[in-house]
Each structure stands twice: as structure tokens, then as C-alpha cells.
Amino acid sequence: MAAATTAELDRAIREIADRWRGERAERQERRHLDPADFEVLRDAGLLALPAPVAVGGLWERIEASVRPLCEIHRQLASADPSVALVCSMHPAVVAFWLASPDPSQPGWEEQRHAVFASAAAGEQWGTITSEPGSGGDINRTRAVATPGDAEPFLAGRSYAVTGDKHFGSGSGVTDRMMTTAIPEGESEPTIFVLDVRDRPWDGSAGLKLIAEWDGMGMAATQSHAMRLESAPAVRLAWNGQLEPITRAAGPFIAVLFTAVIVGVLDAAIEHARGQLRTKADQLRAYEQVEWARAEQDYWVAVQAYEGGLRAVESGDGAVALHGALRAKQAVADLAEQSLLRVTRVLGGGTFSRRSPFAHWFEDVRALGFLRPPWGLATDNLFATSLA
């Protein structure tokens, strides 16, 4: 039975995460997602988190809801980073509709409510926006969208999208996916929603698998590369430039992805602490110093994450964006640095595939490349620092 309140959902997720930690060794060896995991989370009510209370969801307003939502995904990440990352894509995508209400645009409001109703009903959302050569910039798309006459599966105008995409995290478990394309006859890209539920990947129904995900980190996210071939889609109903939408959703998305990496770091530091307690008196001076510095890096990363949350909770858009971006960049650096120190202390055994640290180290590296990668992220951080 789905949780009726965020507090109930939090308790349910903690129980699920506790069970999954007992399966850590097996889960870290996975290269594919288990649909049963997502059924458990759907039944718990996780997908209703970003849907407003008015439509049967758990979202109140950003100042009140961002922290519990992020902390729930942090808990999941401490148990299974790949599942947590795929789950985090759901509220991250819904945020594009959540963050920009505009009653003066009836079509936009109708589509927003349709998206929220979809999430509240347990449909999982994801994203497949990145393209080869784009540097992670969703505006640098070469995909094209042509108007269609099919009955739209969501409120809005029907289109068909064609182009190569990669990093479709959650391929095979999602129902809807967001992407970007340039509408035929126009010069600027916009967002489209793809209908991907139960759709084959042989090219016969708009999706063709180019390459399965084989990443060293976040290994079981099924972030496959796809070729869209007249894939059924619905256009974003927002009447105006895309930038206000992406800017409004940006702080929430940045701090949410940061929460996932902090969750991985939580698990790694706690596991290392447990191992070191049994041999603290045997540690060399260098190892003692490296552990102290690893723990310090971890502490600073948690403070940076907390600062990002408070910035988003402030309700000030400029403060939220700069604060969330700073937190994401800081945690990306600190998490990688902290785990590198831990591996130096624990020794060569951490290099083995049997060691959880070998997996965690690659998992935390993912944040530096995750929507957007380092170059674009630094550009954004610099631009907001002087605003």
C-alpha cells in the first residue's frame, strides 16, 4: 500500500534500503536493472513524491518538499546507487513541469496536470536527452521533430522525433522519457516527451538500440544509447523560450543528483569505518592521516550538500541556482577525493571487483559527468557566480 505521507514513505524506503544493503555484494555485480525493485518502490509510493498533493501526490511546495525528497533518494543510494540514480531521474524530469506554473497559459497548465497525474498514478519518468558530441548541453541537439496526426498519449501536440541519443538511464523500466529536438521549420530546440512503455528496441516502433550501457560506474542503470526513428512524442506545451523552464528546474535537479552521490559516500565511509575499527592500533602514521583527511572530506561534502539544500529552500531563484551548482561541484570533487584516500588506507584489496569500494569509487565519479559534465557545469557555475 502506497504511503499517505512523506514521513510514511521515508520509513518505508529506509526499510527497503536496509534489506538491500544485505544484498550489496550481489547488487554491485549487476549490469542490468531488476524490474521487481521498481515495483517495490512504486508500491511504496516513491513515484508520487514529485506529484502535487492536489492530484494525489506528496509534493507541497519546493521549500517544504525538496529536503525530504532528496533525503529519500540519499537513503536509496546508500543501498543501491544504480537504482537510486534511475529513480532520481523521475522527479528530475517532472521538475520541468513542476517548477514553472503559469495560469495564463491554459495549454501549459493542462499538460502540467497531465504529467502530475501520470506520476501520481505510478508511471515512471526518465530522460534520454544527451547526444554524441553535445558536451551534455541539451540545447545542442541535432534531433528533429515533425508534427504528427496520431492521437497524443499526453496533453499537447503530437510529434515524431528522429535522432541519435545516449545515456537513456532506466531504459526498459521507464514509461515516459524526456528528450530535446528541433521542431521542423524552427531554429530553437524544445522538450518532447517520448512514449517508451513496452516499446521494442528493434526500430520497428521508433526505438532502435545502438549500444547497451557498459559504464564502469552506475553500472546497472541501463543508460542505453538509442536511435529515435520517428518515435512518438508530445511537445512541451510551454509557450516561450526554453531557458526559463530549465533555469527554474535546475536548482532542484542539481541538489537531487548531489543527494544520490552523498548517499553513496555515506555507505562507503561507514563501511570503511567498520573495517578500520578492528585494526586502528595497527595503522601507520600515513594511514592515520589519510583516514582523518578522508573523513574530513566527507564531512565537508555533507556540509556542501546541506548548503545546497538550504539555498533551494530559500525560495530565491538566483540564490538557489548558484548554491545548488556550487554544492554539486564541491561534492563531485570531495566524494572522489575522499574515496581515493580511503582506498589508500585500506590497501590494494579495494582494487578488486569483490571490494565494494571499487564500485563506489566509480559510482561517485559519475556526479562530475552527470547532467551536465564538468566543462558545461563549470561554465554554468561561473555564469551564476557573477549574476
Side-chain angles (χ1 to χ4, degrees), residues 85-94 96-97 124-131 136 138 165-180 191-194 196 221-226 228 253 257 370-371:
L85 182 60
V86 170
C87 288
S88 74
M89 298 297 173
H90 173 76
V93 170
V94 174
F96 285 90
W97 285 266
Q124 181 141 359
W125 289 63
T127 175
I128 186 166
T129 54
S130 298
E131 296 183 21
I138 66 173
K165 301 283 181 175
H166 57 188
F167 303 143
S169 297
S171 296
V173 300
T174 52
D175 300 297
R176 307 283 181 242
M177 274 190 163
M178 184 192 89
T179 195
T180 52
I191 289 172
F192 292 86
V193 177
L194 301 170
V196 296
T221 53
Q222 292 181 195
S223 301
H224 301 333
M226 295 280 182
L228 309 183
I253 296 171
F257 289 160
L370 182 64
R371 291 170 176 75

Side-chain angles (χ1 to χ4, degrees), residues 49-324:
L49 260 178
V53 172
V55 298
L58 297 172
W59 184 269
E60 297 177 20
R61 64 187 193 286
I62 186 126
E63 295 85 354
S65 298
V66 63
R67 183 179 294 270
L69 187 147
C70 286
E71 285 295 285
I72 283 170
H73 286 83
R74 178 180 175 181
Q75 278 293 321
L76 275 179
S78 70
D80 191 319
S82 288
V83 172
L85 182 60
V86 170
C87 288
S88 74
M89 298 297 173
H90 173 76
V93 170
V94 174
F96 285 90
W97 285 266
L98 194 63
S100 300
D102 187 351
S104 70
Q105 296 192 42
W108 172 238
E109 289 301 301
E110 181 186 7
Q111 189 178 77
R112 290 178 72 239
H113 285 99
V115 170
F116 303 152
S118 166
E123 291 185 344
Q124 181 141 359
W125 289 63
T127 175
I128 186 166
T129 54
S130 298
E131 296 183 21
S134 68
D137 188 345
I138 66 173
N139 291 304
R140 292 173 60 182
T141 178
R142 292 192 292 269
V144 295
T146 56
D149 53 11
E151 183 69 23
F153 54 86
L154 183 77
R157 287 181 285 168
S158 182
Y159 276 75
V161 176
T162 298
D164 287 349
K165 301 283 181 175
H166 57 188
F167 303 143
S169 297
S171 296
V173 300
T174 52
D175 300 297
R176 307 283 181 242
M177 274 190 163
M178 184 192 89
T179 195
T180 52
I182 300 173
E184 188 178 66
E186 301 181 31
S187 59
E188 297 296 321
T190 190
I191 289 172
F192 292 86
V193 177
L194 301 170
D195 173 19
V196 296
R197 180 167 45 193
D198 299 325
R199 195 166 290 276
W201 296 346
D202 60 3
S204 62
L207 299 180
K208 185 174 183 179
L209 179 66
I210 299 174
E212 287 198 17
W213 174 241
D214 61 353
M216 295 297 293
M218 296 297 181
T221 53
Q222 292 181 195
S223 301
H224 301 333
M226 295 280 182
R227 176 165 295 127
L228 309 183
E229 299 177 338
S230 298
V234 169
R235 180 174 178 163
L236 189 79
W238 175 261
N239 183 24
Q241 292 185 327
L242 192 57
E243 193 271 340
I245 293 284
T246 57
R247 189 176 183 86
F252 171 69
I253 296 171
V255 78
L256 174 58
F257 289 160
T258 304
V260 171
I261 301 305
V262 171
V264 180
L265 196 54
D266 289 336
I269 293 297
E270 183 58 29
H271 196 70
R273 188 179 286 118
Q275 290 191 11
L276 292 173
R277 282 197 187 103
T278 63
K279 57 178 183 179
D281 58 347
Q282 302 170 33
L283 294 180
R284 295 181 173 88
Y286 172 80
E287 293 166 338
Q288 293 177 32
V289 170
E290 281 296 278
W291 169 248
R293 295 176 72 182
E295 199 173 39
Q296 179 176 294
D297 290 340
Y298 166 58
W299 183 84
V300 175
V302 173
Q303 306 315 305
Y305 164 64
E306 173 66 26
L309 277 175
R310 289 202 303 269
V312 177
E313 289 170 331
S314 74
D316 183 315
V319 169
L321 184 58
H322 188 47

